[in-house]
Amino acid sequence: MFFNKLKPSVTKEDKDWIDDSFLWFEGQYGRNYLKSVRIIEPTREFFNIEFSGKEEDAHFVLSKCLEYMDIKAVKVDLNFYSEAPIDFEEEGVFITQSEEGNELKDSYPLGTYSEASPNHFLIDLERGQLNDPHSMIATIAHELSHLILLGEGRIQESDEELTDLNCIALGFGIFISNNIFHFNQWQGASHHGWSAKRNGYLPEEVAAYAMALLSCYQNNPLNWTLHLNKTVKKMFDKNVKYLRANPDSLPFKNT
């Protein structure tokens, strides 16, 4: 008789990288802190605001992300730009692929991070983010993750994949994973079309495994998973089943 062997959604190489990174996060933030991280949800409980597409929305999101990521005693200025050229030197989130119909469109950064002086940091946000609250939250969280890793001296060189993974470890996995891939269709009176774009630096299967690993580490209720899109949720469930069936594969001991 043949049985289906449970497998994670990631390659062994990616699994090893995620596992090692979470052990590093545990060393950086402490076991108790990482276990108590709240999963930030797209609800009024976490973002009690009526989004209107104004700059005030972004400032509100920044203040809440600073609170949830436990960033204190620093100054963070938030500025805005409109589809700036892609030759930015700061660290940030990029649209890595954008298609419309059968044509590729130019890539551009959704946000960037830089350090003005010790304890003074700058985040630049593409104005289009103001009309997409979920993407705006993911982008601001990513830029603040740069602050935590680079600004606080935890790493010396930018690592965009680790920066996104750090967002997941600090509770922003719903926004990071749901924002990776966007597909839209539209139809007018005489024509129709579609657009697709990829944001961020982690593929969905990596984000899904990372969230499953965090959930098994914390061993908390999974009510928040209802906010995941169908693709990510399916991979997340697969990874949770794998990790629960193979506890020896967990990098953490005595969890």
Side-chain angles (χ1 to χ4, degrees), residues 24 28 89 91 113 115 145-160 162-163:
W24 185 78
Q28 290 294 308
E89 295 182 357
E91 310 303 331
Y113 154 90
E115 182 173 352
S145 183
H146 274 303
L147 190 160
I148 292 170
L149 296 176
L150 283 169
E152 294 181 1
R154 301 178 191 276
I155 61 176
Q156 299 304 311
E157 296 182 2
S158 179
D159 185 330
E160 296 291 357
L162 184 67
T163 300

Side-chain angles (χ1 to χ4, degrees), residues 1 6 67 89 95 103 116 135 159 169 193 209 227:
M1 182 179 293
L6 293 174
E67 174 187 344
E89 295 182 357
I95 290 181
E103 297 181 1
S135 182
D159 185 330
Y209 176 81
H227 299 294

Side-chain angles (χ1 to χ4, degrees), residues 27-88:
Q28 290 294 308
Y29 308 128
R31 180 184 179 86
N32 292 337
Y33 182 87
L34 201 59
K35 274 185 164 291
S36 65
V37 165
R38 295 183 70 189
I39 304 300
I40 309 304
E41 303 176 35
T43 65
R44 283 297 184 92
E45 178 184 357
F46 293 92
F47 299 97
N48 189 18
I49 185 177
E50 189 71 39
F51 287 99
S52 60
K54 297 180 180 179
E55 292 182 3
E56 289 78 7
D57 297 350
H59 286 285
F60 173 82
V61 168
L62 174 62
S63 68
K64 300 306 291 184
C65 288
L66 286 167
E67 174 187 344
Y68 297 144
M69 300 177 90
D70 199 29
I71 298 174
K72 303 173 182 177
V74 298
K75 180 181 180 182
V76 181
D77 290 334
L78 183 61
N79 302 305
F80 303 88
Y81 63 91
S82 296
E83 293 194 10
I86 61 175
D87 56 348
F88 270 59

Side-chain angles (χ1 to χ4, degrees), residues 124-144:
D124 293 294
L125 188 69
E126 204 280 318
R127 286 188 178 277
Q129 298 290 283
L130 297 174
N131 298 315
D132 188 344
H134 285 231
S135 182
M136 175 170 59
I137 293 168
T139 300
I140 290 176
H142 177 93
E143 305 312 335
L144 291 178

